[in-house]
Amino acid sequence: MPDLTDEEYDALDDYYTKNPPKVDPAKKGGFFTRQREMLDVLDRVSADLTHAETAHKLPAQIIGELVREKITASADEIE
């Protein structure tokens, strides 16, 4: 893209300020959205594994403990 003058930059800025792109939340997104979602999943897995290593437990054991805590807490609320 060639260099733009200050007037052209201002015109583009004004145009996109008054006419923002329309996004359809029903659409899943493109390549970069899928990559970001994959990175989010990998971050959660990495955090789970790091926590499991420091606690010397398997991720399934940690999840089981969390579930049991939630069940106990909700049972205490009912009583």
Side-chain angles (χ1 to χ4, degrees), residues 38-53 59:
M38 185 185 310
L39 287 174
D40 289 343
V41 169
L42 290 175
D43 285 345
R44 285 193 298 271
V45 168
S46 177
D48 289 344
L49 289 176
T50 302
H51 181 48
E53 288 174 359

Side-chain angles (χ1 to χ4, degrees), residues 8-58:
E8 291 170 325
Y9 279 118
D10 290 338
L12 283 173
D13 179 49
D14 187 49
Y15 173 79
Y16 284 111
T17 300
K18 292 179 181 175
N19 304 302
K22 298 196 178 13
V23 178
D24 184 5
K27 292 185 179 178
K28 287 297 278 182
F31 174 76
F32 294 109
T33 303
R34 289 191 302 273
Q35 292 296 92
R36 185 177 56 232
E37 290 171 354
M38 185 185 310
L39 287 174
D40 289 343
V41 169
L42 290 175
D43 285 345
R44 285 193 298 271
V45 168
S46 177
D48 289 344
L49 289 176
T50 302
H51 181 48
E53 288 174 359
T54 59
H56 302 292
K57 297 179 183 176
L58 295 173

